[in-house]
Amino acid sequence: MICVSKNESNLNSQNLKIKGKTILKGKVKISGAKNSALVLLAASLLTNEKVILNNVPKLSDIEKMKNILKHLGVKLNSNNANNLIINSKNLHIGDNLPFELVNGLRASFFCIGPLLSRLGEVTLALPGGCKIGKRPIDQHITGLRELGANIEVENGFVNAKIQGEKKKLVGSKIFLSCPSVGATETLIMAATLAEGRTVIENAAREPEIQDLCLMLNKMGAQIQGYGDSKITIDGVEKLSGCKHKVIPDRIEAGTFLIASAATLSNITIGPVIPNHLESVLETLKATGSKILIKGNEITIKTKEIKAVNIKTAPFPGFPTDLQAPFTALMAIAKGNSEISETIYENRMGHVDLLNSMGASIQLVNNIAKIQGVDELKGQNLKGSDLRSTAALIIAALSAKDTSYIGGLEHLDRGYDCFESKLNILGANITRNFNEQIFFNQTIVDENISKNKEKFKAA
Ligand code: UD1
């Protein structure tokens, strides 16, 4: 598929013109998982041999991570659009990673485990908060300390060092106070080259963690129990190169299924790993959609949308990353529903935006109380984060009239050719440059530039 060329620098001045009342039809290809690819890129730093990653999605978050790796002396090549050959032989930390590189990419912190294991010492900027909540990293830090790292957090930076002559972390028993995906991944990576056995209890079970462990075991790691809440890692001396294919993106898949349901359409998505989508498929069935699974493809057919309550939860529960798209679906369901966000403190930015399209949603703490309406109306809106932008696009596809949806700087972080894929399914979406937003944004950018020092520790 040829994607529209996107100029990174003015993404926040672009919007999508979306014709409403669209019916989707046909088949769409699901890309590799963003959240897997990001952590696999970090894990490739654990070896000085070549790692070949296939099925890497084309996303701005991946480009940011690639730039971080380049800054660390990693050579990156590719022989097709979705493959990456990663060579970390000359890994070095040099200067601290520039703020511009780590800013806005929480996954940049994934590098701490591999860098600590290979170099014995590292300083990284704190990933900071973001629009969906504070997102602390205390579990990463407590766990690394348990493994013997000396860690200080100062002025927005994390200084981590392994004491002793051997410069090796030491296996330990770690209990996570919450099943954090990122902390589980950080500690797995750090423990692979540690001395002795590490046991992580109350570990996250997300498919992306399973993908990470599969790749690390191909590299020679000794990890057992992944996919369960108790993971055992026996440290090894050295990891070797490997070839690995990133799993399909279950969140992208779920977003297309929800878009299809919201437009009363009939589409097929694939390749996917249906088990990764179990709670989403069960929920969509409860809303009245017919679901057919055939191998690694899923077909959805929708004639009605019934109201269903959901509560987000760690895997295998309903994913928080699909909460906003599902809210857009429930906004036009028959009846009343309640959507509870339990993972993030501030992930309801889409509620007011959907209300301005005619939805009837009342937000009480972190629960969206929705009274389904017959239809939404087209609007000119800007998504506040990655998944809220996807939710607005879904709402716009189902709404009457035309909508203009901004927030593409968020959308392109996590969806590979989103509007092109929707257009293949019959949508009528064009990406436009909005001069007015561009000029207003340029003034804001200039101010940010002038004050950059102040943002260093953000
Ligand atoms: C990952 C995903 C993100 C997804 C989230 C939950 C990546 C790059 N991102 O994010 O898309 O929404 O999992 O499925 O893989 N927490 C703490 N202390 C910590 C770590 C986390 O309190 O040290 C809290 C967070 O504030 C949050 C919750 O735990 O409320 C879940 O966070 P976590 O599972 O760590 O999410 P991420 O790994 O950041």
Side-chain angles (χ1 to χ4, degrees):
M1 181 191 319
I2 299 165
C3 292
V4 184
S5 121
K6 295 157 191 168
N7 179 349
E8 280 284 329
S9 65
N10 63 27
L11 271 178
N12 48 9
S13 323
Q14 296 175 14
N15 62 19
L16 297 180
K17 179 180 178 192
I18 304 173
K19 191 165 167 257
K21 293 278 166 215
T22 293
I23 301 287
L24 304 174
K25 195 167 178 250
K27 210 172 187 172
V28 70
K29 184 174 179 303
I30 299 304
S31 299
K34 165 177 91 75
N35 289 349
S36 257
L38 286 169
V39 71
L40 297 178
L41 279 167
S44 70
L45 301 179
L46 284 161
T47 177
N48 57 13
E49 295 181 17
K50 270 185 200 163
V51 171
I52 303 175
L53 276 186
N54 290 317
N55 203 28
V56 179
K58 283 199 265 28
L59 302 169
S60 61
D61 266 9
I62 299 288
E63 286 308 311
K64 280 190 188 165
M65 194 65 169
K66 280 162 66 180
N67 287 335
I68 289 174
L69 264 52
K70 283 183 198 160
H71 193 86
L72 296 168
V74 176
K75 282 217 164 72
L76 293 166
N77 291 301
S78 56
N79 47 25
N80 73 49
N82 296 110
N83 124 323
L84 263 184
I85 304 161
I86 306 148
N87 187 337
S88 311
K89 202 162 134 191
N90 297 321
L91 185 72
H92 60 77
I93 186 84
D95 310 329
N96 290 343
L97 285 167
F99 173 75
E100 288 76 13
L101 281 184
V102 293
N103 179 29
L105 184 65
R106 186 171 165 83
S108 59
F109 200 70
F110 285 150
C111 297
I112 196 164
L115 288 172
L116 197 53
S117 297
R118 275 200 58 201
L119 306 175
E121 188 170 353
V122 57
T123 297
L124 279 181
L126 277 170
C130 69
K131 288 197 174 133
I132 59 176
K134 283 204 284 287
R135 303 186 80 175
I137 49 157
D138 55 299
Q139 294 304 300
H140 303 239
I141 289 179
T142 312
L144 288 170
R145 282 187 178 138
E146 297 267 355
L147 294 175
N150 191 336
I151 302 192
E152 280 167 21
V153 184
E154 250 176 7
N155 301 327
F157 283 91
V158 179
N159 303 304
K161 199 171 182 172
I162 309 179
Q163 305 290 20
E165 269 187 24
K166 279 198 198 161
K167 293 256 173 232
K168 268 196 149 226
L169 294 168
V170 181
S172 181
K173 203 165 182 176
I174 300 168
F175 183 87
L176 295 178
S177 63
C178 63
S180 153
V181 176
T184 304
E185 291 169 334
T186 289
L187 299 174
I188 288 171
M189 288 188 277
T192 51
L193 293 175
E195 214 168 61
R197 173 170 285 192
T198 299
V199 179
I200 308 173
E201 289 192 49
N202 198 28
R205 300 162 61 191
E206 268 67 6
E208 294 74 23
I209 289 168
Q210 301 176 38
D211 204 23
L212 168 68
C213 294
L214 266 174
M215 182 173 105
L216 288 170
N217 279 352
K218 279 187 201 167
M219 292 164 76
Q222 298 279 332
I223 311 172
Q224 286 172 41
Y226 49 90
D228 231 322
S229 55
K230 181 174 168 183
I231 301 177
T232 305
I233 305 128
D234 285 306
V236 294
E237 273 301 314
K238 175 175 183 293
L239 294 176
S240 49
C242 78
K243 202 171 175 179
H244 187 77
K245 186 171 176 183
V246 180
I247 53 168
D249 196 313
R250 63 194 169 100
I251 305 300
E252 185 199 13
T255 306
F256 276 103
L257 291 174
I258 294 170
S260 181
T263 51
L264 300 174
S265 301
N266 174 3
I267 67 164
T268 298
I269 62 163
V272 290
I273 301 174
N275 285 347
H276 294 174
L277 283 154
E278 222 169 271
S279 69
V280 178
L281 297 179
E282 286 312 310
T283 308
L284 284 170
K285 278 185 203 165
T287 68
S289 287
K290 300 267 178 289
I291 303 277
L292 181 75
I293 302 174
K294 209 170 163 194
N296 64 2
E297 289 186 346
I298 299 175
T299 299
I300 180 166
K301 203 174 195 170
T302 307
K303 292 216 165 100
E304 59 173 342
I305 308 169
K306 290 188 272 196
V308 168
N309 299 336
I310 60 153
K311 219 180 212 177
T312 61
F315 189 82
F318 193 94
T320 171
D321 288 349
L322 286 174
Q323 180 263 113
F326 194 76
T327 305
L329 176 67
M330 288 301 96
I332 49 168
K334 280 210 163 53
N336 299 341
S337 59
E338 279 192 8
I339 297 192
S340 311
E341 173 56 55
T342 71
I343 309 287
Y344 292 112
E345 56 189 357
N346 190 17
R347 202 176 213 182
M348 287 289 185
H350 46 287
V351 164
D352 281 347
L353 298 167
L354 289 171
N355 280 342
S356 72
M357 295 179 82
S360 173
I361 311 174
Q362 204 200 344
L363 192 56
V364 181
N365 299 322
N366 245 357
I367 303 175
K369 296 178 184 254
I370 309 173
Q371 244 183 324
V373 296
D374 286 344
E375 65 179 4
L376 300 174
K377 51 183 189 306
Q379 265 290 7
N380 185 351
L381 294 169
K382 186 174 187 326
S384 53
D385 62 69
L386 168 58
R387 307 301 171 187
S388 84
T389 309
L392 292 183
I393 294 170
I394 291 172
L397 286 168
S398 76
K400 68 171 183 196
D401 306 326
T402 296
S403 296
Y404 294 84
I405 305 297
L408 308 193
E409 69 279 22
H410 305 302
L411 186 77
D412 291 353
R413 282 185 44 221
Y415 289 95
D416 185 351
C417 301
F418 196 48
E419 77 264 23
S420 310
K421 289 184 182 184
L422 284 167
N423 283 341
I424 288 172
L425 293 173
N428 185 339
I429 307 180
T430 49
R431 190 176 277 242
N432 304 290
F433 175 73
N434 184 325
E435 219 169 73
Q436 187 62 46
I437 307 176
F438 179 73
F439 286 121
N440 291 343
Q441 188 59 40
T442 307
I443 294 165
V444 174
D445 285 347
E446 275 171 8
N447 288 335
I448 287 177
S449 220
K450 279 183 209 148
N451 288 315
K452 217 165 229 170
E453 282 305 307
K454 283 191 203 159
F455 289 87
K456 273 207 164 140

